[in-house]
Amino acid sequence: MTVFGGLANEVLLQIIKLTSAGDIASLASCCKHLNFLAQERLAFHRQKRAEAEDIVVGWDMWETSAIHPSKHLQEILEDDDCRFYTRVMKVGSLEYGDPVDDERGDVGISHQRNKDALIDNIESQYGPEITTLVTKVYTALLPYKAYAAKTDLSKWIKAVKDGEPAAVVILLLALHPNLEILDIHEPGQDWWKESDFAEDQCGHRGNIFHSLTTAAISPATNTLKVFSRLSDFRLSGEIQGGLEASAQMVSPFMALPTMHKILGRVVDGRGVLWPYGTGTSKVTVLDLAGDIDRASLSNLFRGLKALEHFRYQFSPPADWTKRARGRHYLNRLKWGPRTKNDAANNDPEDDESDESESDHHYYTDEDIGDKPRWEPRALTATILQYAGNSLVSLDLTAGGFRGVVKFSDDEPFIGSLRSFRVLKDVCIDTTMLFKRVKCSSSVSSIPGKSTQQTSWFEFRAQWLVDFLPVTIETFKMTSKFVGKGLSKADVAAMFTGLPQLRRRLPKLSKICVEQNEDWEDEDEEEGLEELYLRCEANAIKLLFEDDEGSTISEPA
C-alpha cells in the first residue's frame, strides 16, 4: 500500500478504471481503501460477466450454423477486456476446416466470402498484434517444452493469421481464463490429439492443447490462468457414421483442480490412462454414455477423490452394432433372466449359430479385441473400491440396441450394494438383479431303487434386503434395451423378508419403473400388479418414469 499511500483518490480512481478486468480483483484486495474505491468498477465487471454471451466456434451443433473462430479473435483484438467476461465456450466440429451454413444455393458461397473477408481484415489490421499475442501464449507454455517446443511458433502464428480453425480455437482457449463451462462436440476430430504431429499447417496443435491442460493442472505455474475456473466439461460425439468422441480427452480435464462435473455422450475409449496420482481429482459428478472399456474406467476411478454421482450407459457404437448384425455376432451378446433354452436367446435376424464356420470366417482378431464389453459386476467392484464412502447415486444401464444381452462369467449380476456407505439412489437394468444358480435333486423312478442325481440352472432374483444398502431412498429398474420386465414370481422373490426385515431398508421410499402403455407380455403385466401390491404393503411409492427420467405418475 505504500506505493499508493500518497496518491489522491482521483488518481486512484483513474488507476482502477484503467486496470483490466483480469487484474481488478487483485488490485482491490491490496487494502480496504482500494477495495472501497473499486466497488463501483467491480460491480461494472460483474454486470458485464452476467451479460456476456456464450462463445460458439466451428459448426454450431446448438444453433445449426457455422461460426468461424476468427470472429471471436477479432473481438479480443478490439477489446481485450471482453475475454475476461466469457463463462461458456462451445466448440463445434472443426473436422472439415471451413464449416458452411448451408450447401444449398449460394449460402455456402456467401459464407466463404464473408469468412475470407473477415480473415483478410483481421490480418491487415491486427497482424503485429496477433504475432505478439501468439508469442505471449507460446512463451508462457515453454516450461512444458516436452509439448510446446515441438510446435513451430512461426507456423502457429501463420496458421492463426490464415484463419486455420484449430489453430485459432487453441489460442481462444488460452485467452479466456474465466471459462466455467466448456462444451466440445468432437466427432472424430484430431486437432487436440498429442499424437498429431504432421508437418503441414494443420499439425502440431495437439502439442499446444496438451500444454494448456498440463499448465492448468498446476495453479502455481499457470501464469495464463488457463481453465483456472473451469468446473463443467461436456464432451459429445456423433451417433451416426462412427464419429465417437475420444475418452482420452476426459483424463486431463478430470485432473483440473477446479473441475467438478464431467459429462460425455457417444464417447469411445480403450486404454485410457490416469497419470496424475491416486485420489487427486475433485470431480463429484461423472456422467458418461458410450463404449469405454472397464480398464479405462478403472483408471479414471483411481484418480477420483470423492465421487458423489456416477452414471454410465453402455452403448455399442452404431457402426459396430451394424457390422455385428451382418456377421451374426450379436447372438453372442444375448442373455435373459428367465430364458429356459438357448434358442430363445438368439436374435430374430440371426440365421447361424455361435459356432458356425461362417461366423469365425467373418471376424478378425481386431474385431474381437475391440468388441464392446459390458461388465457391470466388475465395474461395480471398482466403484466400491474408490468411491464406496462417497457415492450418493449410481446409474448403470445399457442402451443403443434392443433385446436381451448375454454376458460371460455371471455378468451382469452385480452382487450386493450393501457395502456402499451413503448410496441413496440406484438405477440398474433388471437383468442385474438375477443370478444364475445351479440346482440339483435326487430322483428315483422305481421305489426302493437307487436315486439319480439331476441338475439344472435357474435365474433367481435377489432379495432387496440383501442387495440394496441401508441408506437407499430411491430404486429404479429399467428393461428398455436389456433384459426383460419382472414376472410375478420375480417380484415375490425380490420382496422376500419384507416387511419383517424392513429395518434393513428404513429409508427406501420410492421404486421407479419405466412407463409402458402397451403391456404385451402377460408375465410382465402380472409382475407390475404384484410390484404395486408389495410396495403398498411396505409403504413404498411405486412411480412411473419417462425416457428422460421424469416422474409420470403413480399407478392407478
Side-chain angles (χ1 to χ4, degrees):
M1 182 57 192
T2 54
V3 177
F4 302 105
L7 299 178
N9 284 347
E10 291 78 7
V11 176
L12 292 175
L13 288 172
Q14 186 64 18
I15 292 174
I16 291 171
K17 184 178 180 180
L18 296 175
T19 301
S20 71
D23 296 325
I24 185 68
S26 298
L27 179 64
S29 65
C30 287
C31 66
K32 292 182 179 180
H33 185 59
L34 277 176
N35 183 275
F36 173 77
L37 294 177
Q39 285 305 305
E40 183 177 347
R41 195 63 180 172
L42 286 170
F44 168 79
H45 289 304
R46 281 195 296 269
Q47 183 66 24
K48 295 283 283 186
R49 276 195 292 271
E51 296 172 353
E53 297 182 355
D54 299 349
I55 284 185
V56 182
V57 297
W59 182 259
D60 184 356
M61 309 307 298
W62 305 269
E63 299 291 340
T64 62
S65 62
I67 303 174
H68 198 280
S70 293
K71 171 182 176 294
H72 298 292
L73 177 60
Q74 181 182 35
E75 293 172 354
I76 292 175
L77 293 168
E78 292 174 350
D79 177 14
D80 186 66
D81 272 359
C82 73
R83 65 190 181 93
F84 296 100
Y85 304 135
T86 304
R87 296 176 54 254
V88 181
M89 181 181 288
K90 300 177 180 180
V91 182
S93 175
L94 306 180
E95 186 179 18
Y96 302 109
D98 295 317
V100 294
D101 291 320
D102 199 329
E103 294 294 341
R104 294 171 296 179
D106 62 351
V107 178
I109 298 174
S110 175
H111 174 87
Q112 183 67 32
R113 288 173 180 167
N114 293 338
K115 188 212 79 167
D116 292 341
L118 170 68
I119 293 172
D120 290 342
N121 180 60
I122 291 175
E123 184 175 5
S124 62
Q125 287 195 40
Y126 302 104
E129 288 84 351
I130 291 175
T131 300
T132 302
L133 204 56
V134 176
T135 303
K136 177 183 177 181
V137 172
Y138 180 83
T139 303
L141 296 176
L142 272 182
Y144 309 97
K145 57 186 177 183
Y147 307 111
K150 292 180 181 179
T151 300
D152 188 308
L153 174 60
S154 61
K155 286 187 177 181
W156 191 17
I157 293 173
K158 183 179 185 302
V160 172
K161 290 181 178 180
D162 291 344
E164 199 278 303
V168 181
V169 166
I170 297 296
L171 182 60
L172 290 176
L173 289 172
L175 293 175
H176 287 87
N178 294 327
L179 289 179
E180 296 175 12
I181 300 173
L182 178 60
D183 194 336
I184 297 182
H185 184 83
E186 195 263 329
Q189 298 183 57
D190 290 326
W191 57 269
W192 60 270
K193 294 181 180 177
E194 178 186 354
S195 59
D196 185 19
F197 298 150
E199 287 298 326
D200 63 341
Q201 74 169 22
C202 295
H204 301 288
R205 248 72 66 197
N207 293 302
I208 292 294
F209 184 85
H210 198 133
S211 297
L212 290 178
T213 54
T214 303
I217 290 172
S218 177
T221 56
N222 187 10
T223 57
L224 292 175
K225 298 189 183 329
V226 181
F227 303 140
S228 59
R229 293 189 179 184
L230 193 64
S231 60
D232 189 331
F233 176 61
R234 305 167 187 179
L235 179 66
S236 58
E238 190 65 49
I239 296 176
Q240 302 298 327
L243 300 176
E244 297 84 14
S246 174
Q248 298 284 353
M249 193 180 264
V250 173
S251 290
F253 283 98
M254 227 177 78
L256 299 181
T258 56
M259 185 59 61
H260 289 290
K261 180 179 180 181
I262 301 281
L263 185 146
R265 293 292 179 268
V266 196
V267 179
D268 180 80
R270 295 290 185 275
V272 178
L273 301 178
W274 178 261
Y276 308 104
T278 301
T280 55
S281 173
K282 296 180 181 179
V283 168
T284 57
V285 179
L286 186 58
D287 187 338
L288 303 172
D291 175 26
I292 307 174
D293 70 312
R294 180 177 60 85
S296 296
L297 288 171
S298 297
N299 286 336
L300 294 178
F301 266 100
R302 184 169 58 84
L304 294 166
K305 184 177 182 180
L307 183 68
E308 296 178 5
H309 307 278
F310 178 63
R311 175 183 180 271
Y312 177 57
Q313 183 182 65
F314 168 70
S315 301
D319 60 337
W320 187 92
T321 304
K322 196 175 296 182
R323 286 188 295 118
R325 285 191 179 277
R327 295 173 179 181
H328 308 285
Y329 190 72
L330 275 187
N331 55 353
R332 294 185 181 181
L333 293 175
K334 300 302 170 185
W335 195 80
R338 299 191 306 278
T339 300
K340 295 181 179 179
N341 59 77
D342 291 336
N345 286 328
N346 291 336
D347 190 275
E349 299 180 19
D350 291 342
D351 302 332
E352 303 174 34
S353 67
D354 287 350
E355 304 303 324
S356 69
E357 290 297 324
S358 58
D359 189 36
H360 291 297
H361 172 73
Y362 280 122
Y363 249 75
T364 65
D365 291 340
E366 182 179 356
D367 290 327
I368 294 172
D370 193 47
K371 68 180 180 180
R373 297 179 184 273
W374 179 216
E375 302 174 284
R377 180 165 58 90
L379 183 57
T380 302
T382 302
I383 298 170
L384 177 61
Q385 179 182 356
Y386 293 107
N389 295 326
S390 61
L391 197 69
V392 175
S393 68
L394 173 65
D395 189 327
L396 287 179
T397 58
F401 57 92
R402 293 197 176 269
V404 292
V405 176
K406 185 175 183 178
F407 305 82
S408 61
D409 301 327
D410 290 332
E411 295 277 6
F413 174 73
I414 59 176
S416 174
L417 300 177
R418 289 191 65 81
S419 295
F420 285 89
R421 304 292 295 275
V422 293
L423 189 58
K424 295 181 179 180
D425 302 305
V426 172
C427 176
I428 58 172
D429 293 319
T430 53
T431 315
M432 299 179 193
L433 288 168
F434 292 84
K435 183 176 184 179
R436 193 171 72 152
V437 179
K438 186 174 183 179
C439 306
S440 63
S441 67
S442 298
V443 179
S444 175
S445 57
I446 302 176
K449 298 294 183 180
S450 61
T451 60
Q452 183 180 0
Q453 191 81 8
T454 61
S455 63
W456 67 95
F457 287 97
E458 291 183 358
F459 291 102
R460 295 181 180 175
Q462 294 197 85
W463 299 5
L464 293 182
V465 293
D466 290 337
F467 173 66
L468 296 174
V470 68
T471 53
I472 192 71
E473 296 178 4
T474 303
F475 178 49
K476 179 182 177 182
M477 297 171 287
T478 174
S479 57
K480 181 177 181 180
F481 293 108
V482 176
K484 301 178 180 179
L486 299 169
S487 69
K488 183 176 181 179
D490 295 333
V491 174
M494 286 171 52
F495 277 81
T496 300
L498 290 173
Q500 295 88 342
L501 299 177
R502 189 69 163 90
R503 65 183 183 280
R504 291 193 182 182
L505 303 173
K507 298 181 179 181
L508 179 60
S509 58
K510 298 176 185 176
I511 290 182
C512 304
V513 294
E514 292 168 320
Q515 173 76 359
N516 191 344
E517 297 178 358
D518 250 346
W519 294 101
E520 299 178 358
D521 191 310
E522 186 177 340
D523 284 344
E524 293 182 20
E525 187 173 0
E526 291 179 353
L528 181 65
E529 293 174 359
E530 181 70 14
L531 184 60
Y532 174 73
L533 294 174
R534 296 278 181 163
C535 287
E536 187 177 41
N538 288 276
I540 299 172
K541 283 186 178 181
L542 177 61
L543 303 175
F544 286 137
E545 288 193 354
D546 61 16
D547 292 339
E548 302 298 323
S550 301
T551 301
I552 303 279
S553 64
E554 297 183 46

